[in-house]
Amino acid sequence: MHHMTLAEIARGLADKKFSSEELTQVLLARIAQLDPQLNSFISLTEELALSQAKAADARRANGETGALLGAPIAHKDLFCTQGIRTSCGSKMLDNFKAPYDATVVAKLAAAGTVTLGKTNMDEFAMGSANESSYYGAVKNPWNLEHVPGGSSGGSAAAVAARLLPAATATDTGGSIRQPAAFTNLTGLKPTYGRVSRWGMIAYASSLDQGGPLARTAEDCAILLQGMAGFDPNDSTSIDEPVPDYSASLNGSLQGLRIGVPKEYFSAGLDPRIAELVHNSVKELEKLGAVIKEISLPNMQHAIPAYYVIAPAEASSNLSRFDGVRFGHRCENPENLIDLYKRSRGEGFGAEVQRRIMVGAYALSAGYYDAYYLKAQKIRRLVKNDFMAAFNEVDIILGPTTPNPAWKLGAKNSDPVAEYLEDVYTITANLAGLPGLSMPAGFVDGLPVGVQLLAPYFQEGRLLNVAHQYQMNTDWHTRTPTGF
Ligand code: GLN
């Protein structure tokens, strides 16, 4: 039962082959048995899951239908869940029970999903390895000595290990696409503003975007359908109609113009990944796509710009965690300053503190022009590069990551080495564009992802290209040994 995709589960439930309650029991038992190896969950919500499953079964018995009605999922632990711990992977919020549901959580619950739990993540979504979590590192089910990617490493590891069919995640600089690549999943970061950020604890507000992690493009379409849409509570959410994503999965690729940026194949890329990317290009050519070399000349400036803008916004967003209103508070503060200092010093881990310091520095009066303003100008150049490229091509294709999943601990002493691994994913966030990572082969037994980028609001195009690829390849069906 645990091998089923969301689409298969929807068919099975509709055909009354099993009930949502039965499926939920199976998956909860599987999580109890296997998750100790992975550490992919911060909290399990068995009681809620069983009551939601029963309610979904009752709705079906009353004639209701829907691809998500009775579908088991989990939420990354930065989506607020009413009455349930929402930790953001931090000691700071270890005792925080959200007083309301995030819009994404509420929309998916209304569609009938069953929440099995909250998944592990890098602290405040800062990281690419899921090693900065207060709740401990997550292991990659493909090789337990390797990282699953981050910051949505818990969602990725759980779905890859068949503990559940799909999960929500968020992507500020790659946190959906990079863990998808590292664990052989399909992950989609939607256009900025497509999915509401209300109740999604902020890391860098102008870059953060929620989206689906699943095994297939077909399942990403189903989950995105339940997440996307205008939300008056989020002033950056965009009031555009949501297309039927599943209906977009049957388009022909005949004549589709795919751009491959020459800058992607620089010295930093593992040549074995480059070869797998070229293989995926050949596969798409067989399906009728036309390949064109393009250029994104400002890509080299993206990492420094991102690692100024993201920490700058984070330093501002995280100032609310002051030990006064919610979150961790130190014991016996001597005065207000002592309260702030010790609560924040004890509550935030090393990477979060590093980013707050970098961000506060970049925003300070004497350095604002030199760092923050400059980074914003680079951001515009990065966007302009994409706009020019999309005048010539329909999709941009390349590697999701320069290397496969590294060993746990391998980059702990060198944060910049970890930042450099985000080179292919962060540009989509700087420009606000949608991006998808799909499985495209293996290197040393570790999965490799190919990234597709599209113009604003063309999530359907991304999902269709990935779906056509998956109808003709079987990388996405591979299962990690032991799971
Ligand atoms: N690795 C990037 C960072 O640490 C992106 C993280 C994310 O997308 N949340 O900022």
Side-chain angles (χ1 to χ4, degrees):
M1 241 178 171
H2 60 266
H3 281 289
M4 286 186 296
T5 62
L6 276 183
E8 289 163 352
I9 288 169
R11 281 194 289 276
L13 288 171
D15 295 346
K16 302 201 167 37
K17 293 226 169 78
F18 48 84
S19 68
S20 174
E21 190 183 349
E22 281 161 358
L23 176 63
T24 300
Q25 300 273 20
V26 167
L27 296 181
L28 287 173
R30 197 170 153 79
I31 292 168
Q33 186 204 344
L34 294 173
D35 197 47
Q37 293 178 58
L38 298 170
N39 196 28
S40 62
F41 282 88
I42 290 175
S43 304
L44 287 174
T45 52
E46 292 103 330
E47 268 179 44
L48 171 69
L50 289 169
S51 75
Q52 285 178 325
K54 281 183 195 151
D57 287 334
R59 281 166 66 179
R60 271 202 194 268
N62 279 333
E64 230 184 284
T65 57
L68 288 168
L69 187 53
I73 60 161
H75 292 296
K76 184 175 180 179
D77 205 18
L78 52 53
F79 286 101
C80 284
T81 39
Q82 186 172 12
I84 296 164
R85 173 166 64 178
T86 302
S87 74
C88 228
S90 181
K91 179 178 179 185
M92 182 57 90
L93 291 176
D94 182 47
N95 64 5
F96 177 61
K97 287 190 176 159
Y100 64 98
D101 279 335
T103 297
V104 161
V105 171
K107 278 174 84 86
L108 286 173
T113 59
V114 171
T115 304
L116 301 182
K118 306 290 295 289
T119 55
N120 204 341
M121 55 180 284
D122 276 303
E123 186 177 8
F124 283 97
M126 298 172 187
S128 312
N130 212 124
E131 291 180 292
S132 73
S133 169
Y134 172 61
Y135 302 92
V138 177
K139 317 280 166 51
N140 190 326
W142 288 92
N143 182 333
L144 297 173
E145 288 178 6
H146 287 248
V147 302
S151 63
S152 312
S155 288
V159 177
R162 275 65 178 161
L163 304 187
L164 75 176
T168 60
T170 62
D171 190 312
T172 303
S175 285
I176 293 177
R177 293 160 286 156
Q178 185 254 20
F182 279 10
T183 59
N184 209 40
L185 298 182
T186 308
L188 173 68
K189 178 202 99 71
T191 306
Y192 183 76
R194 179 73 293 184
V195 168
S196 168
R197 292 186 298 109
W198 197 70
M200 206 177 97
I201 297 175
Y203 161 18
S205 311
S206 77
L207 302 161
D208 297 342
Q209 187 61 199
L213 260 175
R215 295 202 287 272
T216 63
E218 188 182 24
D219 279 9
C220 282
I222 293 171
L223 192 55
L224 178 63
Q225 202 74 49
M227 300 172 78
F230 176 62
D231 178 5
N233 286 330
D234 172 3
S235 61
T236 59
S237 137
I238 294 175
D239 197 357
E240 277 276 323
V242 180
D244 181 340
Y245 293 116
S246 297
S248 67
L249 298 181
N250 49 22
S252 157
L253 302 192
Q254 202 60 47
L256 181 89
R257 299 167 304 167
I258 298 184
V260 181
K262 59 172 191 249
E263 291 81 1
Y264 280 7
F265 298 88
S266 60
L269 177 64
D270 183 327
R272 298 166 302 173
I273 293 187
E275 194 185 328
L276 292 173
V277 172
H278 289 307
N279 292 347
S280 73
V281 167
K282 282 187 215 137
E283 195 64 47
L284 292 167
E285 268 184 311
K286 275 197 242 158
L287 300 177
V290 185
I291 312 302
K292 199 174 163 149
E293 188 184 84
I294 58 164
S295 175
L296 299 172
N298 291 292
M299 186 183 141
Q300 53 175 320
H301 307 302
I303 287 191
Y306 172 89
Y307 277 99
V308 169
I309 294 169
E313 294 186 18
S315 73
S316 166
N317 276 324
L318 271 56
S319 64
R320 74 192 63 180
F321 302 106
D322 55 7
V324 176
R325 287 160 294 181
F326 45 78
H328 176 74
R329 178 180 296 178
C330 68
E331 297 281 335
N332 307 318
E334 278 168 27
N335 53 43
L336 190 60
I337 297 297
D338 185 45
L339 170 81
Y340 289 153
K341 273 192 182 165
R342 283 203 288 122
S343 299
R344 287 169 68 81
E346 293 163 9
F348 290 135
E351 184 60 24
V352 174
Q353 294 193 20
R354 182 179 298 123
R355 304 235 186 157
I356 290 173
M357 284 191 281
V358 169
Y361 181 83
L363 288 176
S364 58
Y367 297 102
Y368 181 90
D369 289 352
Y371 295 109
Y372 185 73
L373 199 62
K374 189 79 167 252
Q376 291 289 22
K377 288 180 177 170
I378 292 169
R379 185 173 190 173
R380 174 52 64 109
L381 294 176
V382 167
K383 179 185 163 174
N384 290 350
D385 280 359
F386 280 120
M387 296 302 98
F390 284 127
N391 280 331
E392 297 176 49
V393 297
D394 305 307
I395 288 269
I396 294 174
L397 181 149
T400 308
T401 63
N403 294 295
W406 54 88
K407 275 202 161 165
L408 283 152
K411 295 190 194 287
N412 284 1
S413 58
D414 187 356
V416 175
E418 189 169 320
Y419 301 167
L420 293 173
E421 295 291 325
D422 298 336
V423 60
Y424 299 119
T425 48
I426 51 177
T427 50
N429 303 77
L430 289 170
L433 292 166
L436 176 148
S437 180
M438 61 181 190
F442 291 82
V443 163
D444 292 338
L446 292 164
V448 166
V450 157
Q451 175 176 246
L452 307 172
L453 303 173
Y456 298 112
F457 296 105
Q458 299 306 316
E459 286 79 6
R461 188 184 299 171
L462 292 176
L463 291 164
N464 180 44
V465 175
H467 182 63
Q468 301 309 321
Y469 179 80
Q470 292 177 345
M471 302 279 277
N472 290 279
T473 54
D474 68 354
W475 301 118
H476 63 289
T477 63
R478 310 282 173 101
T479 309
T481 319
F483 298 95

